Amino acid sequence: GENVEQHPSTLSVQEGDSAVIKCTYSDSASNYFPWYKQELGKRPQLIIDIRSNVGEKKDQRIAVTLNKTAKHFSLHITETQPEDSAVYFCAAWITGGGNKLTFGTGTQLKVEL
Amino acid sequence: NAGVTQTPKFQVLKTGQSMTLQCAQDMNHEYMSWYRQDPGMGLRLIHYSVGAGITDQGEVPNGYNVSRSTTEDFPLRLLSAAPSQTSVYFCASSHTGVSYNEQFFGPGTRLTVL
């Protein structure tokens, strides 16, 4: 079936450094790629998303890039802060065989002081 | 608006028992879905619905049933609970089943099957 691969599974950075999380997808018809942040014991919440007709989108310290040809997209967090520590999930909207959101396996980001 | 609500928050079942996880949304969303979250495996889609009376299977549907009789409610039924169904279950909804719509998640139900 269609899947989304996410790397790395864990990421540790120093406060103020940048963090990059990468995802690849298999369905070439996918046209929407959201990123979710999940704090411990909480529900996932959308932090940024990108559509397939856009190559890059930025919102303050967070940016997402999309390479449709290579079928991969990335989350970039600059000037990381302790409150950025969480699990981050990428996802791709799959249209083949029904309309559904397929998630990556998650990245545990730890921002150390 | 309460958004997406789920009950119960926690549940312990014995193998073979059945139960229903409740999910409701008050945003008049057409699209609703159920995910399970297991360590290291992300969020996996169980079932989804693009509107009242319409449901479809996701990635891991076995052992679960759903129905969508109203726009607001989307219950998930475990027919005969198994230890492999121990997980955290999230319900989500979005305006429509077309992409570009933010999925809003409920607070989750933590289920343990002994």
Side-chain angles (χ1 to χ4, degrees), chain A residues 31 36 38 43 89 93 98-99, chain B residues 31 37 97 99-100 103 105-106:
Chain A
N31 58 8
Y36 284 82
Q38 186 179 30
R43 72 192 79 185
F89 292 97
W93 187 263
N99 294 332
Chain B
Y31 189 92
Q37 184 174 29
S99 63
Y100 310 155
Q103 296 264 318
F105 283 84

Side-chain angles (χ1 to χ4, degrees), chain A residues 4 7 9 16 18 22 32 38 40-41 54 59 71 73 76 84-85 87-88 92 98 103 105-106 112:
Chain A
V4 176
H7 300 281
S9 57
S18 295
K22 299 181 179 181
Y32 175 62
Q38 186 179 30
L40 188 62
V54 176
D59 183 4
K71 291 191 284 188
F73 57 113
H76 304 254
D84 294 330
S85 295
V87 178
Y88 291 81
F103 284 82
T105 50
E112 299 177 335

Side-chain angles (χ1 to χ4, degrees), chain B residues 66-78:
Chain B
V66 292
S67 60
R68 185 96 179 271
S69 57
T70 67
T71 298
E72 295 78 19
D73 301 296
F74 191 42
L76 178 72
R77 297 182 187 86
L78 278 70

Side-chain angles (χ1 to χ4, degrees), chain A residues 15-57:
Chain A
E15 183 181 8
D17 287 349
S18 295
V20 180
I21 303 170
K22 299 181 179 181
C23 291
T24 60
Y25 60 97
S26 58
D27 181 6
S28 57
S30 294
N31 58 8
Y32 175 62
F33 308 90
W35 286 87
Y36 284 82
K37 177 183 179 181
Q38 186 179 30
E39 298 177 345
L40 188 62
K42 301 286 185 63
R43 72 192 79 185
Q45 292 195 302
L46 181 72
I47 55 171
I48 195 167
D49 55 13
I50 190 168
R51 301 185 183 189
S52 58
N53 58 350
V54 176
E56 184 174 358
K57 182 178 179 180

Side-chain angles (χ1 to χ4, degrees), chain A residues 56-94:
Chain A
E56 184 174 358
K57 182 178 179 180
K58 189 174 182 180
D59 183 4
Q60 299 182 355
R61 296 186 297 107
I62 294 174
V64 57
T65 59
L66 171 65
N67 182 327
K68 281 195 67 179
T69 302
K71 291 191 284 188
H72 66 71
F73 57 113
S74 301
L75 177 71
H76 304 254
I77 305 174
T78 58
E79 301 173 20
T80 53
Q81 302 168 2
E83 51 265 39
D84 294 330
S85 295
V87 178
Y88 291 81
F89 292 97
C90 62
W93 187 263
I94 305 296

